[in-house]
Amino acid sequence: MSVAATRPETIIELRDATREYRGHAGTVRALDSISLSVSRGEWLAIMGPSGSGKSTLVNLLGCLDRVDAGSVRIAGKDINTLSRKELDQFRAETVGFIFQQFHLIPYLSALENIMLAQYFHSMTDRKEAMAALERVGLGDRAGHLPSELSGGEQQRVCIARALINQPPVLLADEPTGNLDAANQQIVTGLLRSLNQLGHTILMVTHDPEMAQMADRIVELHHGRIVAEREASLAPHTS
Amino acid sequence: MFPRLIMESFLRQRRRKLLAALAILLGTTAVTAMLAIGTSVGDKMNRELAAYGANIVVYPAADTLDVQVDGINIRPATAGSYLKEADLVKIKNIFWRNNITDISPELPLTVTVRTANATQQVPATGYWFHHALRSGDASWTMGAPALHPWWKLQGSWPSSGGNAIPNEIAVGSDLARQLHLHLGDTLEVQNQPERVAGIVSTGDATDHTLLVPLALAQAWMGRPGVVRRVYVSALTKPEDALARKDPDKLSPKMHDRWYCSPYANSIAYQIEETLPHTRAEQIRRIAQGESTILSRISGLMLLVALAALLAAALAVAASMTTAIVERRQEIGLMRALGATRNTIAGLFFTEITLLALGGGLLGYLLGSLLAGRIGEQVFGSSIAFNPMLLPATLLLAVVVSLAGSAPSVWQAMKMEPATILREDA
Ligand SMILES: Nc1ncnc2c1ncn2[C@@H]1O[C@H](COP(=O)(O)OP(=O)(O)OP(=O)(O)O)[C@@H](O)[C@H]1O
Ligand SMILES: [Mg+2]
């Protein structure tokens, strides 16, 4: 059910997006007039050295942050026009986050961590949350606390949580950055199957091999896109 | 989900929350105790303070106040007129009868005392000691000891002798020393043998006198049933502008208000009404002292309670500040999952409210117990649990805790999820 390649619908569109951080040591331009568009169902890898603005970009796309100049359109909405409250709601509906640090609530079980995302989105549904856990292969770990799960398992819970409200966009900031090779493979496999199911994925990674899984790679440098290419290893050509 | 979230998060950072709850508990304990004492003891304290002296004196209208030099009446005992002892019970029938805590008649005279070595004239005063005053079914024990709780007695007060003329007296400590009298000794007064039942130390001129049952003094004088003056101790309302008005010049309406307020003046007025041919006057100095002491004590209580609440608010503020700093990741995550600022605030405020209710409830119970103890120890009577104070205490606990935590919760609301999430990345 991959989105037809014939008429790729643009789901994310950045126009001259600029984001500056004002600190005591002066202003850092983390993103410098970036323009980028992503089609629905596309898997985009974002690469670049540390400090090049990758996380800043992800935060903008995740509606956690706003641009200082330019515009960000997600699913047809200009997020600059949204009030803070609308942005909170839009975020819950539109994006799912997968963090390098997992960010699971330590005192809630795996299942409850997923239900928390349902709660902030609309209402909880234990069955659905359970199904999501099963989809990432953790059906038997529902009652475990994050501290009782391995890093890979925690990241899978995080992925299940990101998916639970069926957001059109998945944002993954170094999803495998804290994982060993075996777990990295499991998570990569999960992302791939999600993408094959039609999810749009934006993924920050330092790992070129992992980036090759994506459809397209953009490379940032000092807040600018310096390279943009089709991935050679794209596993699915649609 | 929300209850689960609250419950789990409530159980976290237990030590810190315990501290905050403890602060709320202490604060509300103090407040409950103060309120319980303030509401139920205002009266008791007044009664207690009233014990430190009379605030109204009653004497025959034909008379002027006795001329006293150094506490000793130098008017000839036969001069002037008298009040009837039998009339005194009427004082317990006036409008403010329940505010009358003690009635102490006095009948001073000079008597001739003969001991083994000497004969001399000494002042004596007839008193009620523990006189049972009866009106219908009601009965009160009244007399000088209750009016002068600081009097120190060795032995016992002379018995009133029932229907017979009593033959026991008490002797002021200075006089006892001078006459070499001891407990149980017998001496001759007005040619009758009297036993020394008690030796009294008062700290004033009374120490140089004989303190005798009123009936005995009347017998010595040959005037049964008379008293010279009466001291009355009454619970009174602090004097205000209305209290100082001349009742006869007030409008009927204001006169009613004046009459129906327990001012020392209006009680004195009512005594004059009920005992014809008498003058009743406020003993001003003492009555005013009482109300200042009372207002100072309530002021002090209020101060202590406010300080306790302020401390509780500060403790809650401190504990919330660190709690929120420690949980910023969580806040950031919840925001990323779509939680609004208000949801975050609601989460923390709910938690604090629960904490406040818990601490406040315990504080109410503890404060009530404390008030009970204080009531027993200080005022000699118990203070019942006052359920009306529970909602007030809980409300206070919640308001104080919310106020104390508001600044840090505001900080939590303002946290930007992007910055929080990237902190450890
Ligand atoms: N909240 C902030 N305040 C000030 N400067 C910031 C802030 N966030 C990011 N920056 C700066 O913006 C630039 C881009 O940061 P960003 O986190 O986007 O980099 P990154 O590409 O994700 O790096 P890494 O690979 O190390 O995660 C950096 O120079 C960083 O110091
Ligand atoms: Mg980064």
Side-chain angles (χ1 to χ4, degrees), chain A residues 50-51 53-56 100 173-174 204 206, chain B residues 422 425:
Chain A
S50 184
K54 305 182 296 292
S55 295
T56 304
Q100 179 180 357
D173 196 344
E174 302 191 39
V204 171
H206 284 291
Chain B
R422 77 178 287 283

Side-chain angles (χ1 to χ4, degrees), chain B residues 106-356:
Chain B
E106 295 184 4
L107 181 61
L109 72 163
T110 305
V111 293
T112 310
V113 171
R114 188 177 313 137
T115 55
N117 354 349
T119 301
Q120 69 181 95
Q121 301 280 104
V122 300
T125 305
Y127 294 104
W128 283 350
F129 293 110
H130 294 293
H131 180 78
L133 190 64
R134 286 196 183 80
S135 168
D137 291 339
S139 165
W140 308 271
T141 301
M142 300 206 160
L147 196 67
H148 309 281
W150 61 90
W151 283 5
K152 286 196 199 74
L153 172 72
Q154 260 182 287
S156 57
W157 291 112
S159 77
S160 57
N163 291 329
I165 300 296
N167 57 0
E168 282 186 348
I169 60 170
V171 184
S173 55
D174 289 343
L175 186 61
R177 204 169 308 121
Q178 186 201 332
L179 298 178
H180 306 291
L181 288 170
H182 299 97
L183 284 180
D185 286 355
T186 303
L187 71 163
E188 208 170 276
V189 188
Q190 305 286 72
N191 299 317
Q192 289 164 36
E194 302 289 347
R195 202 178 72 84
V196 177
I199 292 176
V200 186
S201 168
T202 65
D204 60 33
T206 313
D207 286 346
H208 294 282
T209 67
L210 296 178
L211 298 89
V212 308
L214 186 59
L216 188 55
Q218 290 164 344
W220 284 338
M221 261 178 121
R223 284 178 177 273
V226 302
V227 305
R228 175 53 136 194
R229 58 178 174 256
V230 180
Y231 287 100
V232 175
S233 174
L235 302 179
T236 60
K237 193 176 165 187
E239 195 168 68
D240 54 25
L242 180 61
R244 284 184 282 270
K245 290 269 159 53
D246 179 351
D248 297 329
K249 290 183 186 141
L250 289 172
S251 69
K253 201 169 147 231
M254 291 308 280
H255 183 274
D256 281 355
R257 249 191 69 195
W258 181 87
Y259 193 89
C260 295
S261 304
Y263 299 127
N265 272 339
S266 47
I267 292 175
Y269 185 88
Q270 289 163 11
I271 292 174
E272 284 182 9
E273 277 181 337
T274 193
L275 298 179
H277 313 299
T278 58
R279 288 281 295 133
E281 277 180 6
Q282 177 182 2
I283 304 173
R284 192 174 289 275
R285 187 177 49 81
I286 298 171
Q288 279 179 342
E290 269 174 39
S291 57
T292 12
I293 290 173
L294 195 62
S295 72
R296 273 194 201 150
I297 290 179
S298 6
L300 196 69
M301 283 185 160
L302 195 70
L303 212 67
V304 170
L306 283 181
L309 283 181
L310 186 70
L314 290 177
V316 170
S319 111
M320 275 320 280
T321 306
T322 38
I324 280 170
V325 166
E326 275 175 17
R327 295 174 63 180
R328 45 199 303 146
Q329 295 278 326
E330 227 172 273
I331 298 167
L333 172 76
M334 290 183 187
R335 291 298 306 282
L337 293 180
T340 60
R341 289 176 161 211
N342 292 344
T343 313
I344 300 293
L347 197 66
F348 283 108
F349 278 141
T350 308
E351 217 178 300
I352 293 154
T353 303
L354 285 177
L355 207 66

Side-chain angles (χ1 to χ4, degrees), chain A residues 59 64-65 84-85 88 91-92 97 99 101 103-108 112 115-117 119-121 124 161, chain B residues 1-2 4-5 8-9 12 327 329-330 333-341 343 417-418 421 424-425:
Chain A
N59 286 341
L64 290 173
D65 203 359
R84 188 166 47 223
K85 231 183 152 141
D88 288 332
R91 175 164 60 234
F97 290 93
F99 307 97
Q101 311 287 346
H103 289 305
L104 296 171
I105 305 261
Y107 51 86
L108 295 180
E112 285 165 344
M115 287 166 69
L116 190 66
Y119 174 72
F120 289 130
H121 174 262
T124 57
R161 179 180 63 189
Chain B
M1 193 73 210
F2 193 69
R4 174 93 181 94
L5 198 61
E8 283 300 331
S9 115
R12 289 183 70 230
R327 295 174 63 180
Q329 295 278 326
E330 227 172 273
L333 172 76
M334 290 183 187
R335 291 298 306 282
L337 293 180
T340 60
R341 289 176 161 211
T343 313
L421 286 178
D424 68 342

Side-chain angles (χ1 to χ4, degrees), chain B residues 381-421:
Chain B
S381 59
S382 63
I383 296 169
F385 266 54
N386 182 354
M388 295 293 288
L389 286 183
L390 181 60
T393 307
L394 291 183
L395 187 74
L396 218 57
V398 169
V399 167
V400 163
S401 309
L402 291 187
S405 55
S408 35
V409 172
W410 177 237
Q411 284 300 317
M413 284 171 76
K414 281 200 308 185
M415 284 178 181
E416 283 302 330
T419 33
I420 304 170
L421 286 178

Side-chain angles (χ1 to χ4, degrees), chain B residues 38-57:
Chain B
T39 50
S40 90
V41 167
D43 209 42
K44 284 194 185 87
M45 187 161 11
N46 219 331
R47 205 179 294 267
E48 194 70 13
L49 289 169
Y52 288 97
N55 42 13
I56 294 169
V57 61

